[in-house]
Amino acid sequence: MIEHEAVEQPNNSTGETMSQDAGWGGAAQGGAPHGWGAPQGWGGRRMPPPPEPGVIPLAPLQLSNIFNGAFSTMGRYWKALFGFTAAVYGAAAVAFAATLLIAFSAVHDHIDSLQASSEETDVPWDDITPVLVALGIVLLIGVVVFVLALALVQAAAPAVLQGAVLGRPVTFRAVRETAVSRLRAMLGTVFLTGLIGVVPVVLAVGFEASLVALVVSDGDSDNAAAFLGISVLLLLVAGPLASWLWVKFSLAPTAVVLERQGPIAAMRRSSRLVRGSWWRILGISLLGQMVAGMASSVIQIPFSAVALFSSALTTPNMDSDTTLTTVLISMAGIVAIALAGQLIGQIFVSTFPPLILGLLYIDRRMRTENLAQDLATAAGLPPQPAYAPPQYGHQAPEPGQALYGHPGRQPGDTPQAAPAPHPGPAPQPGTAPRPGSGPGQDGNSAP
């Protein structure tokens, strides 16, 4: 049997070792890709399967690896992931409900007065103004609470992945501490990425609305059609621009947590990682969003059915003399059931897509920065083979080219001399030399 020559493993010097407490440091840019290649190598050499200490193999990920890893993370770490997400959204719902109740109790007299006003009577502004102010305050507080909850959940998914990839236990306390410690940076990232992606669309829609309103007020239908066409063109330009920016910075939230980057640095990091894989990240991200949306709709079906049935039983008991306050009180249970379904569906929608993006971030770093070696080291595994994409058709390597991405001997390289044999201990006076101890007499090789 012919023994294959061992391939020397390169030293792993890029990146920082991942731990449960520290993030994943960014590796040096511009290096050769690393990781695991195809299972069948050149010349009949077969690579062993990549190690899988956690939810994914430590190798460049395929589509099935990414989705299986996301579902496995949700199945193995559901207590920490879903528990923290439910606690965050539950606290946000309680805060918003308390704000709504306080605002309603402050202006319910004005609401009853507006309801009692007949169509012939002019509606007094003394009743309209407090209601509008209260509604504005409730909406503002709701937006702030929702953004805070979104930032915390966005930070929780990478925090869980940090341990799930290595197969380590993840606790609720660890997720909470990581998410809270990265809240400020995550808020900045969510705000900037949302602003960049939403502004082009908002500008186009606002321009369209203003032009249509201006033309309709003048009564010129020809100009209205022309302005509407211009607005559609603006939307066609703003839509692709927003999509491009969204994908370009989609990995920034993961970099904020795993590399402890600031908002601007995380966005630059995401831009570098996405480069060369924009379409792949777009397709997998959209597929993840579709799966999350369909799952959320299925989850909400029974809650919506119960709420609809309860509404059908409650509505016939009301008449035209029933006040708005009575209606809201009687509908509180139905609204609570519907909100419970929305909350459970929102938990899945808020956790699954970030897990997909987190695994895409890990995949990009394993393909470009030798992250698989760092993860194997952090998991206590031996050094893993390096990766380079094989040539089409599994062609044999050219002369001087080594297997699996290891740099072979290049023209002009100085050949290295073989290391000198260890002299061993000097013989003691009065002792005879051992048989086979001389040069070329080790018993395994011919002189």
Side-chain angles (χ1 to χ4, degrees), residues 85-421:
T85 305
V88 170
Y89 280 130
V94 170
F96 181 75
T99 303
L100 187 61
L101 289 176
I102 293 174
F104 178 76
S105 62
V107 298
H108 75 279
D109 293 337
H110 300 282
I111 294 176
D112 293 339
S113 177
L114 291 175
Q115 185 184 11
S117 299
S118 61
E119 297 180 357
E120 293 79 9
T121 305
D122 293 336
V123 179
W125 281 101
D126 293 339
D127 292 327
I128 295 178
T129 302
V131 174
L132 293 178
V133 171
L135 181 61
I137 293 175
V138 169
L139 291 177
L140 179 61
I141 294 178
V143 169
V144 172
V145 169
F146 174 76
V147 171
L148 285 173
L150 178 63
L152 287 172
V153 174
Q154 287 278 338
V160 174
L161 274 180
Q162 192 172 7
V165 170
L166 301 180
R168 294 176 176 176
V170 179
T171 62
F172 180 93
R173 179 179 180 181
V175 175
R176 182 195 62 194
E177 292 177 352
T178 302
V180 172
S181 65
R182 305 306 300 157
L183 178 59
R184 292 180 57 186
M186 187 62 71
L187 280 174
T189 304
V190 169
F191 176 77
L192 291 177
T193 53
L195 188 64
I196 291 175
V198 171
V199 162
V201 178
V202 171
L203 290 177
V205 173
F207 183 69
E208 177 186 354
S210 61
L211 290 180
V212 171
L214 178 63
V215 174
V216 169
S217 63
D218 293 338
D220 192 345
S221 59
D222 295 336
N223 290 336
F227 287 137
L228 184 59
I230 294 174
S231 300
V232 170
L233 291 177
L234 289 176
L235 285 175
L236 292 177
V237 172
L241 177 61
S243 300
W244 178 71
L245 292 173
W246 175 73
V247 176
K248 184 180 179 66
F249 301 118
S250 60
L251 306 183
T254 308
V256 166
V257 178
L258 298 185
E259 298 185 25
R260 298 189 175 274
Q261 301 274 8
I264 303 299
M267 294 171 68
R268 292 175 179 171
R269 182 80 166 118
S270 175
S271 177
R272 289 194 297 267
L273 292 174
V274 171
R275 189 177 303 146
S277 189
W278 189 92
W279 286 105
R280 182 172 184 266
I281 293 177
L282 172 65
I284 296 177
S285 301
L286 290 180
L287 184 58
Q289 294 281 354
M290 292 173 57
V291 171
M294 290 187 295
S296 176
S297 300
V298 172
I299 292 173
Q300 295 180 32
I301 288 177
F303 293 91
S304 300
V306 172
L308 183 62
F309 181 74
S310 301
S311 177
L313 295 178
T314 305
T315 303
N317 298 328
M318 301 180 183
D319 51 23
S320 57
D321 296 333
T322 305
T323 62
L324 181 60
T325 303
T326 305
V327 172
L328 293 177
I329 294 175
S330 61
M331 298 291 289
I334 300 174
V335 173
I337 295 174
L339 288 179
Q342 290 284 344
L343 176 61
I344 297 176
Q346 185 65 29
I347 289 175
F348 192 89
V349 171
S350 300
T351 53
F352 189 75
L355 290 176
I356 295 293
L357 291 174
L359 292 173
L360 283 170
Y361 162 90
I362 296 172
D363 172 65
R364 290 301 299 161
R365 288 196 59 184
M366 286 197 292
R367 292 176 183 269
T368 60
E369 298 178 356
N370 198 17
L371 183 62
Q373 298 279 10
D374 297 332
L375 295 177
T377 302
L381 301 174
Q384 307 301 321
Y387 163 84
Q391 301 179 10
Y392 293 105
H394 300 283
Q395 301 175 2
E398 299 178 358
Q401 180 181 1
L403 299 178
Y404 306 115
H406 291 287
R409 181 175 298 176
Q410 303 298 326
D413 290 349
T414 303
Q416 297 180 357

